Amino acid sequence: MFAKHRQTRKLNIENLEIREMKAGDVAAAVVNGNLYLTEAAGQVGQDNAVQISQLANGKIRITGTGTLTDGSMSHVNGAASQDFTVPGSLFVNFGAGNDLVVIGSEVGGTPPSFNQVDIE
């Protein structure tokens, strides 16, 4: 009879490389009293998500939020949020991508007030 030999093999498991789509960076600026939100340079086609709310002091806060596709966070001029004094209108043009713009606060508060709102 043949003797059975048991071979012990040690298995190694390696993690797969993480592949996440990064959210786009939003460029925000007030020009002649109007607030303009666009895709930042080098971010064309990225997904963008922002919330636009008005603070008690009257300033408008633009906050990067989670995108619709993977929940990754957008940034506003490289930061999580930024505040602006906006006496005029709001113009949003994110171009390509799966974008989300929320106007107002989900937890109540004062809805932002603009002369005109144009979202493309």
Side-chain angles (χ1 to χ4, degrees):
M1 253 198 194
F2 295 103
K4 290 185 178 179
H5 293 283
R6 277 192 151 175
Q7 289 183 341
T8 304
R9 292 186 180 163
K10 187 171 184 163
L11 300 175
N12 291 324
I13 298 175
E14 294 181 20
N15 290 330
L16 296 175
E17 185 177 313
I18 296 174
R19 302 235 179 214
E20 293 180 352
M21 292 296 293
K22 300 269 186 191
D25 192 9
V26 173
V30 174
V31 179
N32 296 325
N34 298 316
L35 178 59
Y36 293 88
L37 303 179
T38 59
E39 292 177 311
Q43 302 293 302
V44 175
Q46 297 291 325
D47 297 343
N48 298 292
V50 295
Q51 180 174 6
I52 303 168
S53 56
Q54 187 162 350
L55 304 175
N57 64 7
K59 289 194 176 213
I60 301 297
R61 175 166 288 167
I62 309 299
T63 305
T65 62
T67 63
L68 294 171
T69 52
D70 65 3
S72 59
M73 300 300 283
S74 291
H75 291 95
V76 180
N77 294 333
S81 66
Q82 192 166 1
D83 298 345
F84 299 91
T85 299
V86 185
S89 299
L90 170 67
F91 298 96
V92 180
N93 187 350
F94 288 150
N98 193 5
D99 306 314
L100 173 66
V101 177
V102 176
I103 298 178
S105 173
E106 296 175 7
V107 191
T110 305
S113 177
F114 300 103
N115 294 338
Q116 173 185 342
V117 174
D118 184 15
I119 300 176
E120 292 183 36

